[in-house]
Amino acid sequence: MGAERQKAPALGAEDLCCRYREPDVAALVGVTLGLESGELVALMGASGAGKTTLLKCLNRVIPSFESAALSGRVAVGGRWLEREGIRDLAGEVGMLFQDFEAQLFSTDVAREVAFGVEQLGVETDEARKRVEWALSAVGLAGLSRRDPSTLSGGQKQRVAVAALLAMRPRAMLLDEPATDLDPQGRGEVYETLGRLRSQGLAILSVEHEVESVLGADAILLMRGGRIVASGRPGEIASRVELFEEAGVRPFELARLFRSLGLEGLALSAEEAASAIKRAGWKAAEEDGAGEQMRAQGRLVSLEGVSFRYEGGEVALREVSFTIREGEFVALVGRNGTGKTTLAKQINGLLRPGSGRVIWRGRELATMPRREIAASVGYVFQNPDHQLFAPTLFEEVAFGPRNFGLGGAALRRRVEEAIAAVGLEGLEDKDPFWLSKGERQRLAIASVISLDPEMLILDEPTTGLDYRQALEIMRLLERLNRQGRTVVMITHSPWLVAGYAGRVLVMEEGELRWEGAPKEFLLREELLARAGFEMPPVAAVSRRLGSRAVTVEELVGKLKKQEGVDREK
């Protein structure tokens, strides 16, 4: 059938090419895809693969607002677009941008969600119903009167998703709609998107975590501006090497099957455990030894710390714990449970309403801010909130220069910090020409240039692809081995399993549990408190009678029974 007579999909592209003018980069090369009404498709790939560019082409942000040379064609709502611009598609295509905070501007959540609906001319009663439904769908039903600026990053992201849902578009383009959400919140978002399929929406969603999109109709994998693979999740998720080459973290159970020489793939822990048993593998006897934590001196202690934001709810309630020198601590909990507020108590950005923070035997509130800043480094969830200098060198030099360092000593300190994060050769670049992962590393460099004893990072891997996340975590691991204490706020179970030495669980502003990562990741009631789900490998391990939480650990604990052939 000729191209002119070919039926247009609900959302799609045909031989789409896009080349930016500044910088001169080919972002899309011959991309063809088609989604029908009621389909949910996940788009995956490393940063720079072309995912965001594709979304912007599909809703006409490119070329309406961003200069680029385009060829090929785009389909929306079952018709091939010709001269339509972005305003012609209002109400038909909703888009959640990666920088979702830039989409929020209203003074309360309900008005934010209602804004787009009102621009479509929807009657007041119907608009109110849509707002209530959308907020309920993303788990924010009780926050309709809150100022969006007072919400956590994950809550803000839910508001942005709700604003799209309320408009009832025919197609939705989502650039990492769940990146700042806890795992259960992430699952709820995709469950909501899955339900929307029954209403006829075509949904294309950029995602970094394979586990989140196993219920999608298809996964498209991009690399170098091209779609290099596509298929149903159960088929494509088994191709570990393909995902690794594309810079995407492979599905844990696929890595496990590959390591054990098993064919095929199981999508659930129960199926995986059964297949492993049938293949003749069994867990070695556990030695029963508990995880040991070496004795270390106290660095910081919180004693009955409570905090309430002005005009808001209590954010912290009687929180007490101690962090010792050289620890790597994961601070976990659902969105809005006080994790960031707690971290800001430790570095003095906020002071307790009651209780005390003790730093090396001294009350933090009595210490000069200059001394606190030199002792505790803080990296914000969004690195752009702390970058301001015209060049990388000046960004990293700002802190030590203000502490009196100059000349050759300053240059040496800056060069060491930049080298530590792998940004050598970029010293004269504008920070905002860097990728998100590079800006994250720059923010860390600007903090470690002060040589702090403790480093606090709020979601250090949010919005990063797998390769970038590994770079950040290997850097933190190296800094920790060198003696720095690291506190990491995270929603990623694989980061807790692979890097943390202790876990603090926050729930409703209270510290509800602290202990070893393995105890946390293998106990469903603890995971539920933190909004986590048990990692697939940990769930398989429990069914096999073991206590492993990573692929490598489980493979090391399994042994092949004599006389049992592997399953073909």
Side-chain angles (χ1 to χ4, degrees):
M1 184 178 292
E4 284 69 30
R5 299 194 304 274
Q6 181 182 355
K7 181 179 180 297
L11 180 68
E14 183 181 82
D15 198 24
L16 186 64
C17 296
C18 175
R19 189 175 194 92
Y20 289 111
R21 294 190 171 94
E22 285 190 28
D24 185 8
V25 174
L28 298 177
V29 184
V31 171
T32 296
L33 75 158
L35 281 72
E36 297 305 325
S37 297
E39 281 196 313
L40 169 59
V41 174
L43 186 62
M44 309 190 77
S47 295
K51 307 182 299 298
T52 298
T53 297
L54 176 57
L55 298 193
K56 289 180 177 179
C57 289
L58 291 174
N59 85 330
R60 294 308 225 201
V61 167
I62 297 175
S64 297
F65 295 137
E66 296 185 16
S67 180
L70 284 179
S71 63
R73 57 181 183 171
V74 167
V76 172
R79 72 182 193 278
W80 294 107
L81 302 185
E82 296 180 1
R83 295 181 176 83
E84 292 91 340
I86 191 168
R87 72 176 181 180
D88 300 309
L89 300 179
E92 287 196 64
V93 181
M95 180 162 176
L96 177 70
F97 291 88
Q98 188 174 23
D99 184 11
F100 59 89
E101 289 191 52
Q103 295 179 243
L104 305 179
F105 57 87
S106 293
T107 54
D108 69 48
V109 168
R111 286 190 177 92
E112 186 68 55
V113 178
F115 180 81
V117 181
E118 292 168 347
Q119 306 315 303
L120 297 177
V122 175
E123 293 184 359
T124 302
D125 287 346
E126 173 62 18
R128 186 179 298 112
K129 291 177 182 177
R130 289 195 189 186
V131 169
E132 292 175 354
W133 169 79
L135 288 175
S136 177
V138 298
L140 295 178
L143 300 179
S144 61
R145 296 304 168 195
R146 283 278 295 276
D147 182 340
S149 67
T150 68
L151 300 177
S152 69
Q155 289 170 324
K156 289 176 184 177
Q157 192 157 26
R158 294 188 194 209
V159 171
V161 172
L164 292 183
L165 295 178
M167 294 174 69
R168 302 283 177 85
R170 300 175 69 178
M172 288 180 64
L173 305 170
L174 308 172
D175 200 348
E176 300 185 38
T179 187
D180 281 338
L181 302 183
D182 57 61
Q184 288 187 1
R186 178 187 293 267
E188 289 166 3
V189 165
Y190 277 102
E191 184 179 344
T192 298
L193 296 178
R195 291 197 300 269
L196 292 174
R197 287 184 289 192
S198 64
Q199 300 182 23
L201 269 79
I203 304 170
L204 183 61
S205 180
V206 174
E207 180 55 62
H208 280 309
E209 299 291 338
V210 179
E211 288 87 347
S212 299
V213 292
L214 292 176
D217 294 293
I219 292 176
L220 307 181
L221 200 59
M222 292 193 72
R223 186 173 72 243
R226 294 177 168 85
I227 294 176
V228 295
S230 62
R232 298 190 66 82
E235 300 165 354
I236 194 170
S238 65
R239 301 172 67 182
V240 175
E241 291 82 1
L242 182 67
F243 279 82
E244 290 175 336
E245 291 168 1
V248 178
R249 190 169 75 92
F251 183 37
E252 278 194 356
L253 296 186
R255 287 183 55 224
L256 178 61
F257 270 45
R258 182 184 66 172
S259 297
L260 296 176
L262 300 181
E263 296 180 359
L265 178 65
L267 296 183
S268 72
E270 185 175 358
E271 292 172 354
S274 296
I276 291 169
K277 289 177 182 177
R278 288 197 303 272
W281 294 97
K282 65 176 292 186
E285 294 292 328
E286 298 281 347
D287 60 15
E291 295 178 64
Q292 301 296 317
M293 187 178 299
R294 65 183 185 274
Q296 298 154 312
R298 291 188 179 188
L299 187 61
V300 63
S301 296
L302 275 69
E303 300 177 354
V305 170
S306 296
F307 182 84
R308 179 195 296 269
Y309 287 99
E310 186 175 352
E313 299 179 357
V314 175
L316 299 175
R317 295 181 176 86
E318 296 288 327
V319 176
S320 299
F321 62 87
T322 294
I323 295 175
R324 298 182 179 276
E325 297 173 359
E327 281 198 279
F328 197 129
V329 177
L331 182 57
V332 304
R334 295 176 183 272
N335 293 113
T337 56
K339 302 184 300 298
T340 298
T341 301
L342 179 59
K344 290 179 178 179
Q345 303 289 327
I346 300 174
N347 78 334
L349 284 178
L350 297 175
R351 292 191 172 181
S354 62
R356 302 190 306 165
V357 180
I358 307 298
W359 177 268
R360 289 200 176 280
R362 300 165 60 195
E363 189 167 351
L364 200 71
T366 68
M367 294 171 58
R369 291 190 178 277
R370 181 185 183 90
E371 186 177 352
I372 297 172
S375 301
V376 187
Y378 189 93
V379 180
F380 289 83
Q381 185 173 3
N382 185 343
D384 297 346
H385 290 172
Q386 65 191 99
L387 302 179
F388 58 87
T391 68
L392 268 74
F393 186 93
E394 289 302 313
E395 186 71 54
V396 179
F398 179 82
R401 179 180 285 133
N402 277 274
F403 278 82
L405 208 61
L410 174 64
R411 175 165 291 278
R412 185 167 55 252
R413 179 77 65 84
V414 172
E415 289 174 349
E416 288 174 353
I418 289 176
V421 300
L423 294 178
E424 307 99 312
L426 302 177
E427 288 83 356
D428 296 327
K429 295 289 187 182
D430 182 333
F432 289 95
W433 280 102
L434 303 178
S435 70
K436 174 71 180 298
E438 289 170 331
R439 295 199 305 276
Q440 189 83 343
R441 283 186 277 156
L442 175 59
I444 294 174
S446 69
V447 169
I448 65 174
S449 66
L450 290 169
D451 198 23
E453 292 184 78
M454 174 181 284
L455 195 59
I456 303 175
L457 304 103
D458 195 346
E459 295 284 357
T461 63
T462 186
L464 305 185
D465 64 36
Y466 183 48
R467 289 172 181 163
Q468 293 170 336
L470 282 179
E471 287 175 0
I472 292 294
M473 295 312 301
R474 286 167 180 162
L475 168 62
L476 296 180
E477 190 175 43
R478 185 167 68 251
L479 293 172
N480 181 241
R481 285 199 303 266
Q482 293 170 357
R484 282 187 178 87
T485 302
V486 177
V487 177
M488 169 183 66
I489 299 174
T490 185
H491 288 309
S492 298
W494 70 276
L495 297 185
V496 176
Y499 299 93
R502 188 158 64 102
V503 178
L504 305 179
V505 178
M506 293 293 294
E507 185 180 10
E508 297 179 349
E510 298 180 3
L511 178 64
R512 296 291 177 86
W513 186 84
E514 58 179 307
K518 188 171 293 187
E519 290 300 319
F520 169 68
L521 292 168
L522 290 169
R523 290 174 58 179
E524 292 179 351
E525 73 279 7
L526 289 177
L527 291 165
R529 285 182 170 182
F532 274 43
E533 294 175 349
M534 187 173 293
V537 167
V540 171
S541 177
R542 286 209 327 172
R543 286 171 169 79
L544 296 175
S546 183
R547 289 174 52 78
V549 294
T550 67
V551 170
E552 294 75 16
E553 186 182 16
L554 180 55
V555 170
K557 291 188 174 185
L558 294 177
K559 62 180 181 179
K560 191 75 187 309
Q561 297 181 76
E562 296 296 330
V564 180
D565 293 330
R566 291 186 177 182
E567 184 181 45
K568 301 296 184 185

